Structure formats: structure tokens, C-alpha cells
Amino acid sequence: MSLGVACKAFWAALFNADVAAKIQQAMNPDAGSRESTSERAAPPPAKAAPQPTRSDALTLLSALQREARFLDLVQESLDGYDDAQVGGAAREVLRDCRKTLDRMFAIQPLSEHDEGSAIDVESDHSPHRVRVVGTAGDRGVVTHRGWQASCCEVPVWQGQSVDSLVLSPTEVEGHSTGAAS
Amino acid sequence: MSSKYSVGIDLGTTNCVVAYAELDAGGPAKLDILKIPQVVAPHEGEALSSLSSFLYVPEEQEVASAAYELPDYPSYPTVSGALARRLSADRPGRVISAAKSWLCHAGVDRCAAILPWEADSDVQKFSPVTASKLLLRQMADAWQSSFPDAPLQEQQVTLTVPASFDITARELTREAALGAGLPADFILLEEPQAAVYHWLEKTGDHWREQVAEGEQLLVCDVGGGTTDLSLMRVEQEQGDLVLRRQAVGRHLLVGGDNMDLALAHFVAEKFAQQGTRLDAWQSVALWHSCRQAKESLLAEDGSQTETISVLGRGSKLIGGTVSTQVSRDDVQQLLVEGFFPECEAGSRPEAAAPTGFQELGLPFETDSAITRHLSAFLADNPIDDDAQVHLLLNGGVFKADALRTRIYQVVGQLRSGTAPGQLGDVADLDHAVARGAAYYGWAKQQGGIRIRAGTARSYYVGIETAGLAVPGMPRPLQAVCVVPFGLEEGSDVQVPGREVGLVIGRPARFRFFAAADRKDDVPGTTLRNWSEQELIETSPLEVTLENVDEATEDSPADNFVPVRFSGRVSELGVLELWCQSTRDDRQWKLEFTVREEAEAAT
């Protein structure tokens, strides 16, 4: 996980968000009932609880960038870099991506049979679970075990809708006038 | 009150974990890890299986914009957990880290707002006690939100502390815990004991097949910032095996973080040789990469070399990434020889050369060789030559094969060639203490083996001897043993002999000492000379005899009461000292005076 993420810029980005938030609040003083996206969330009452205003997909992207710098990697052009250079960066990013995905989805192989082993193919198998390539029959060799998530625990985002498309804040190296901090 | 759950809380130097088990569920204990909701980014929360023990003090503007207030989450004056841990690198002046180590640092006022240490001037500060309380409260709230029908106040709660925590640090931990909403009857359990309970839980009834009467258990617990040593003995009681804790080591401020940092310095030097100078931001990223690389480089079947990369800053991730090759041999040399060098029986940590300048920060160990501390511990607590020793390792650093192999080897050398037995495995090292604590609470209710522990120190009250006053000379001080080593829970001792006259209505203050290695002293043993290493002075004790009793009001001329001391360890393991009147049955409790002492010092 990159330790240098975002944080230096919070206050700068948030300053704008703050202004935006105030406008938002003035226009929409109290949002309705909230929808709990976390099974654990059964917290102290008596707080304004706005509806989460963005898709979990955005929150997942944001988390992958924060913890693994996924967006930085896929957004960068590979032109001009040799494979070793790409590999060096990708190794770090992929390792951290896996850690994040494992935590949120606990990803496991779908089939318990190893690649290369012969298995029975049920005639009424679900096309979601088994995809037969080549000749259909009652036996087959596993070429890919498939994947499945064992859980789905994406962070809960509860910001203002004006910020909902922000995936990672602008980073600013802060300093006071004249002297660097 | 009947508890539904046993809850074990590991308040760690760098990570906190909560485990729990349902009581009366039938069958063996079934342990789970509690997910702790925490702020992971502005306006973003996630429930994670641990809470990083970092607390970020937000800026006023961040507070005003409610960036860290989530409608579903309770809010606190600081933000702790994953976000704070990340910010500890970017904004060290606003992040409290290692509050637990400060809790045990007698050189500072632990109730005064001193953290973040070296904070920027505009940053609100908190005391080590408050910081610990905030972490505990967040865990308590996490429990409440997961189990709204089972208030934490009504559960069997066990909180772990280092075995080497002195009595004041334990008292302060208790204060923080009660302030955070833990039940009044929660239990403080020593971390190495929790590690043993975790092993007992894992092995079930088979533990009796792995150890035998007369054998010893050496628990070596290396956390992020501290190392904790304990020695236990397998004994027989009425035909059944029991464990008795015999000794605990000194509080050692050296741990896994030191190893990561050492590796990072080493790799930074490699980069420098390549002509790459890392800036502050990259250095932090490097530290993080080294933490990851450490394990694979120390793995038994690891590769000969490993590439360590520091990602480019900004969105020029690939272009800005720098890499260097680190060889397995170099890392082994650095970490294994640096932190776990081979050493001979009797060798001791190297003392620091006096610098004449003592920084007030945390008193980190000057000798980072854990094995030399271990050697000194075994020299101070000798084991019979023919007794089999089993080694139980705890802490994330022992996921690295090379470190495990080395410490087994060194313990073998220290035991004149007899290899120690191996207990436990490496799985689940991160959660072992919390799980062990929850299992302890479960076993306490459901029946199961208990470790006989008792006090890990003997304690002494300092009394000035009467005699002619000599100008400029303090009166000679004697130390009277009031609590012997190994006093067990639920027992008390009367200190025979000496009576002390206490004046009514005026506070009386006593100096108070602890000794780790004076196991033969009995209550009343009086010491006239001692070395500073032998008797460690802790916070003083104070008592004020209020004139509430009618009997004394009848005789106002008689304004002092002769008392004797008594010591008591409650069922919950709390050590108390009392003054007992020798005339009647009145008694007064001696209180630790952490605050006054600190105020006087500042």
C-alpha cells in the first residue's frame, strides 16, 4: 500500500468540499432514512444519515488506488518503458491489489478440482458455474478453476454527492509562506 | 449478572485486535475476531479485523467539514485506525503512535497531554492514558454495534498487557479501560500468558501430551515495538498438570518495527550506491516495501535475491519507480545477526556508552540483540540443567523462518546444547493474543486449565529510619517487603513487625519499589542497601487518614494512628496496599500518586 497517498492534500481538497457541503446542506437539510450497507453497522442514533450517494464500484476503485495505486498503474502509458521497469512497478501494485481484494471479497477458486484433472459434467449444470469449451459431453478436463468471492465488504462511503466521482484527491505538498514545513 | 460472551482485547503497540467466544454454547470454545469499524479515508468507513494503534489529530478545518464523521459511526476527538496509520508517515506531527509504550514510560507524566510527541504547536495534545482510552472506546463501540443486545458491561472481558508492565502502567491501563466503558470486573492478563492460552486452545486436551511435569515453557513475544519474555513451569497438582508462571523479563523497547527500519536503512544505502537519493516520502514507501520483503527474504525456500521497488510519486508510477536488488545473505546478516545473534550463556546486553545527553523520548533499547536480552533473562532466572525447555514464540516477526530457526538454535546453545521443544505453529500469529485472552475468559467460566501466575515482582515500601537528623543528609531509607513475589490472586498478606505512626488528616507519602529478582523475600523483610538495578522505584503511594471515626473524635489529642501494612491481590489481579490500624479494625487504602508526582516534576 502506498503510504504517501492523498493525505497531504486533504485540507486543500476538503476546503472546496467544505464549501460545497455547506451549500448542499442548505439546499437539502436532512436526508431521509439511510440504507445500511454494512451488516455490522448498527450504531448510535440521532445523527443525520444521508443516503450513500455513490456506487460501490467507485468506492472499490478508490480503495484500490488508495491502497495499491491501481489507477496510477493502469492509467499510465507503457510506451517507452522496458518490461523490467513495468514489472518492477507492477509487482508492488499487484501484490497490494491482491491484499485489498482478498480482504473485501476473500476470493477463492470456484472448483475444488485442480487444473488438468478430469471431472464429471452434469447435464443440467449452471452456465454461471461451468462453461464447457470444445465438445460437450459428460466428462471434461478442468482448464480453469474459476473464481468466486466468499464475501463482499466494500467500504461505506458517506460523503457529499458533489464529491462522489472523486476517486483520489489531488495531492499537494503543503508549506507555509516562505518556509517549507 | 451472567455474561453471554467472553471478549478478549489485545491493546497492542501498533495494532489492536478483539476476539470473542460465546459462553454456554456447548462444545469447545469457538473464537471469532470482531470487525472494528474505522475511518479509512475522508467520508469513508470500513470494518476491519484490527485497529491500528495510531491516532490522528484532525485539523480544525477537517473537523468543521466533518470529513471524518460518518453517520453510521461514533465520532471521537481523534481518528484512529487505518487512516491514522497512513497519515503517521505523511503528517507525523499530528499522529500519536505507540501510546502503549508511553504508558509504561515513568520518565514522563503519563496523565498529561504530551502526545503527539514533538507535535506541531497548533496541534491539540492528549495524554498516553487518554490515547489508550480512545482506542479502547472505539473497540468497545465496535462491540456494541455488532452486539447491541449484549452490552459490553455485562460480558466477561479480558484485556492484555505486557507481562513486563509495571504496577503503575497496569493501573493506568485499568483507568483507561474503565473510562472507555469496559466493565468494572474486567481482567488484566499478561500477553505471554495469553499466547500460552492460545496454544492451549489450539491443542485442546492434547497439551498434556506435549509437556510433562517439571518442564519449562519459555515464552518469547516480539511485538511491533516491544519484546516480552516469560518463564513458566509445568507442575502437578492433585494428579493434574498445571502451569505456573515463574518469571517475567524487563520491559524491552525493541521489536519488529526496528527490524523493518534497519532493513530500510540498508536498502536506502543500496539506492544511494546506484546514485538514487530517496526523499522523505520515498523513504516511507521504502520502509513499507521492506516490511513486505522481510518475510520472503527470510523464508526457508525464498529466492536468493529479491527486487525492492519504490513506486514513483504522482501519477508517473512506472516512470518514477526505482528498484534495487537485495541478496538474501545480506538480509540474513543484517536481521538475523543484528537482532538474533548467537550468544553464549551468561552474555548480557551491551550497555550504551554514556552520552551525557538524555533525550526524554521513549527509552529504546541500546542493544537491539533480542537474544542477548534472552540470555540475561535466563541467567537471572536459572533453570535446572536437566529440565526440558519448550519455546513458545509469539508475534508477527516469527513468520520469518530464519528468525524462528535462529532463536531455537540460540536457546539450545544457552541451555548447553539441549534443543528446546517447539510449541505452537506460525498460523494466526497476528491474532494469537486476543484469541488467547478470549479463551482465558471462556476457560474461566466453562472450566479449563488456568495458569497460576501471581505477582511478577516483589514490592517494597520505603520508610525513613528514625534517628538524629544530619543537616544536608537525607535520613537513611529502608525498604520493607510488603508483597512477596508470586502472591496469587485472591490472597492477602499481613506485614509483620514494624508499626508506622500516621498523622490524621495529613497526607502521608511512601516511596515504593519493585524487584524482579528477589524471590525469597517474605513480607517484613527489610533491606538497608540495594542497587538501582535491584529495586526499581515506581510511583509513590499516598494515604490520608480522614478523621471519620467517632472513637478518634473522642480523643482529639491523640492525632496519630499506629498502622501496619498489608498487601492484597484481588480476584481480578489488582494489587492493593492497605494501612491497618493496630488499635482497631479500621483500614485505609494506599493510592498510587501518578499525577501529583508528575505535576511536581513539570
Side-chain angles (χ1 to χ4, degrees):
Chain A
M1 176 190 70
S2 66
L3 280 156
V5 197
C7 325
K8 296 250 178 186
F10 277 172
W11 52 99
L14 283 166
F15 185 71
N16 296 330
D18 185 27
V19 174
K22 280 179 180 155
I23 296 165
Q24 180 84 4
Q25 265 177 348
M27 285 160 51
N28 181 15
D30 203 357
S33 67
R34 77 187 132 75
E35 185 184 293
S36 175
T37 45
S38 158
E39 58 176 12
R40 295 281 190 220
K47 270 191 188 172
Q51 196 102 15
T53 42
R54 80 168 175 185
S55 151
D56 280 353
L58 291 169
T59 304
L60 174 63
L61 279 179
S62 169
L64 284 172
Q65 165 64 10
R66 187 172 63 236
E67 296 180 21
R69 304 196 53 198
F70 173 71
L71 297 176
D72 289 343
L73 182 69
V74 298
Q75 290 297 108
E76 192 167 4
S77 162
L78 300 185
D79 299 345
Y81 298 129
D82 60 27
D83 288 358
Q85 183 80 11
V86 176
R91 184 189 296 274
E92 299 280 309
V93 174
L94 292 175
R95 183 195 61 211
D96 291 340
C97 278
R98 175 174 178 174
K99 213 182 266 177
T100 305
L101 294 177
D102 273 349
R103 188 183 76 236
M104 294 180 187
F105 305 105
I107 296 170
Q108 312 223 321
L110 175 59
S111 167
E112 72 237 30
H113 303 286
D114 287 333
E115 275 178 26
S117 55
I119 59 164
D120 291 334
V121 179
E122 307 288 330
S123 56
D124 58 345
H125 66 259
S126 154
H128 288 294
R129 303 196 144 258
V130 180
R131 188 175 71 210
V132 179
V133 282
T135 326
D138 59 354
R139 292 282 289 173
V141 173
V142 177
T143 52
H144 189 301
R145 299 175 68 182
W147 295 112
Q148 66 180 331
S150 314
C151 61
C152 179
E153 292 172 0
V154 178
V156 184
W157 188 87
Q158 289 171 312
Q160 302 292 337
S161 54
V162 67
D163 298 326
S164 66
L165 293 174
V166 174
L167 294 174
S168 104
T170 309
E171 288 187 32
V172 179
E173 179 95 46
H175 59 80
S176 51
T177 343
S181 61
Chain B
M1 182 186 82
S2 82
S3 306
K4 189 154 186 262
Y5 295 95
S6 165
V7 182
I9 302 177
D10 172 10
L11 176 66
T13 316
T14 48
N15 258 313
C16 300
V17 180
V18 182
Y20 61 94
E22 195 172 345
L23 299 165
D24 300 316
K30 199 181 152 297
L31 295 167
D32 279 305
I33 300 292
L34 180 73
K35 293 273 182 93
I36 304 168
Q38 52 201 278
V39 177
V40 294
H43 301 297
E44 203 166 318
E46 188 175 352
L48 301 173
S49 54
S50 69
L51 178 72
S52 292
S53 317
F54 294 79
L55 301 100
Y56 171 67
V57 185
E59 305 214 359
E60 270 178 40
Q61 188 193 323
E62 293 173 308
V63 174
S65 67
Y68 305 121
E69 303 252 341
L70 289 160
D72 284 351
Y73 288 24
S75 68
Y76 310 95
T78 58
V79 184
S80 35
L83 176 82
R85 185 186 189 123
R86 235 176 22 247
L87 291 178
S88 69
D90 288 1
R91 312 209 63 199
R94 283 197 163 268
V95 177
I96 301 171
S97 56
K100 179 176 172 183
S101 295
W102 287 97
L103 213 50
C104 173
H105 182 13
V108 297
D109 178 355
R110 288 162 275 185
C111 295
I114 54 168
L115 301 177
W117 191 247
E118 293 176 339
D120 310 337
S121 56
D122 61 329
V123 176
Q124 190 194 350
K125 293 192 175 188
F126 296 85
S127 73
V129 175
T130 308
S132 305
K133 186 168 77 182
L134 286 168
L135 291 169
L136 286 163
R137 183 175 297 156
Q138 188 158 351
M139 290 186 266
D141 288 342
W143 173 267
Q144 230 48 87
S145 78
S146 285
F147 298 92
D149 300 330
L152 189 64
Q153 284 282 338
E154 292 171 16
Q155 309 311 314
Q156 166 81 52
V157 179
T158 307
L159 174 65
T160 61
V161 287
S164 50
F165 251 27
D166 68 18
I167 186 158
T168 320
R170 285 173 198 229
E171 220 26 63
L172 293 172
T173 306
R174 176 171 294 277
E175 182 185 325
L178 294 176
L182 269 67
D185 62 350
F186 86 93
I187 292 171
L188 280 181
L189 180 69
E190 293 172 4
E191 282 156 16
Q193 287 192 47
V196 172
Y197 281 112
H198 178 246
W199 166 69
L200 290 168
E201 184 255 321
K202 285 263 171 190
T203 29
D205 284 336
H206 300 296
W207 75 271
R208 289 177 181 81
E209 296 153 22
Q210 298 191 16
V211 296
E213 187 189 355
E215 297 182 342
Q216 304 264 351
L217 259 67
L218 176 60
V219 187
C220 184
D221 182 8
V222 180
T226 55
T227 293
D228 214 4
L229 303 167
S230 280
L231 190 63
M232 296 177 200
R233 204 177 127 84
V234 185
E235 297 183 349
Q236 203 181 93
E237 229 169 60
Q238 290 155 1
D240 201 6
L241 291 183
V242 296
L243 292 170
R244 183 177 298 277
R245 199 273 323 277
Q246 293 194 295
V248 303
R250 223 160 53 74
H251 195 66
L252 301 174
L253 279 180
V254 57
D257 293 347
N258 304 54
M259 297 176 207
D260 300 333
L261 199 56
L263 184 56
H265 276 299
F266 171 76
V267 178
E269 194 54 41
K270 285 234 157 204
F271 275 115
Q273 283 164 16
Q274 294 175 5
T276 312
R277 285 245 157 259
L278 301 179
D279 64 21
W281 183 89
Q282 287 174 309
S283 302
V284 171
L286 174 64
W287 187 0
H288 175 73
S289 300
C290 287
R291 184 170 302 169
Q292 313 268 350
K294 183 178 65 181
E295 249 166 72
S296 54
L297 277 163
L298 293 176
E300 231 139 51
D301 48 359
S303 52
Q304 266 312 309
T305 59
E306 180 112 343
T307 306
I308 293 189
S309 303
V310 177
L311 298 181
R313 202 169 184 180
S315 59
K316 280 267 170 290
L317 177 101
I318 302 171
T321 293
V322 288
S323 302
T324 191
Q325 297 280 321
V326 182
S327 91
R328 178 184 166 85
D329 292 344
D330 288 348
V331 174
Q332 296 249 354
Q333 178 66 29
L334 180 77
L335 298 183
V336 181
E337 301 306 330
F339 290 88
F340 295 86
E342 294 184 39
C343 61
E344 289 172 4
S347 54
R348 289 188 171 267
E350 285 158 13
T355 56
F357 172 74
Q358 192 71 43
E359 220 184 338
L360 199 60
L362 285 173
F364 293 107
E365 298 311 314
T366 49
D367 188 345
S368 58
I370 288 171
T371 42
R372 275 198 286 274
H373 291 286
L374 184 62
S375 156
F377 176 66
L378 288 177
D380 293 338
N381 301 282
I383 302 172
D384 286 349
D385 278 344
D386 50 354
Q388 169 73 32
V389 172
H390 300 273
L391 187 56
L392 180 69
L393 301 177
N394 192 47
V397 302
F398 289 118
K399 286 182 207 159
D401 297 332
L403 300 184
R404 263 197 335 271
T405 311
R406 174 53 68 85
I407 196 166
Y408 277 112
Q409 178 198 338
V410 170
V411 172
Q413 283 164 356
L414 294 176
R415 299 276 305 135
S416 40
T418 320
Q422 307 193 6
L423 298 181
D425 53 33
V426 291
D428 211 21
L429 279 174
D430 293 328
H431 297 155
V433 167
R435 293 175 69 105
Y439 178 67
Y440 166 83
W442 183 90
K444 191 171 149 58
Q445 294 249 342
Q446 310 285 302
I449 168 134
R450 293 276 301 278
I451 298 167
R452 298 298 187 82
T455 49
R457 305 269 188 270
S458 46
Y459 292 97
Y460 306 80
V461 168
I463 294 170
E464 286 178 8
T465 50
L468 286 175
V470 180
M473 291 282 287
R475 285 176 192 269
L477 190 71
Q478 294 185 349
V480 178
C481 179
V482 287
V483 173
F485 179 89
L487 186 66
E488 287 195 17
E489 286 105 32
S491 52
D492 51 38
V493 285
Q494 306 292 325
V495 181
R498 188 181 298 271
E499 278 184 14
V500 180
L502 294 186
V503 179
I504 289 170
R506 253 191 19 214
R509 184 176 278 214
F510 298 95
R511 290 170 72 182
F512 191 55
F513 303 86
D517 301 321
R518 298 193 57 95
K519 294 180 190 163
D520 298 328
D521 289 350
V522 295
T525 301
T526 302
L527 310 179
R528 288 177 179 79
N529 300 299
W530 58 86
S531 68
E532 273 185 32
Q533 287 86 31
E534 201 175 12
L535 253 57
I536 311 282
E537 181 153 14
T538 64
S539 310
L541 296 160
E542 196 173 86
V543 66
T544 304
L545 273 53
E546 298 299 343
N547 194 4
V548 288
D549 197 276
E550 289 159 18
T552 45
E553 272 180 336
D554 290 343
S555 49
D558 192 11
N559 64 346
F560 81 94
V561 181
V563 298
R564 280 209 179 103
F565 294 109
S566 68
R568 177 183 306 168
V569 179
S570 75
E571 292 292 345
L572 307 175
V574 184
L575 174 65
E576 292 173 355
L577 287 165
W578 293 77
C579 290
Q580 234 151 358
S581 165
T582 54
R583 286 202 200 130
D584 44 47
D585 54 6
R586 285 180 300 157
Q587 54 179 10
W588 299 267
K589 190 181 167 200
L590 284 154
E591 304 282 355
F592 292 97
T593 56
V594 188
R595 277 179 190 77
E596 283 91 338
E597 171 204 32
E599 275 161 21
T602 46

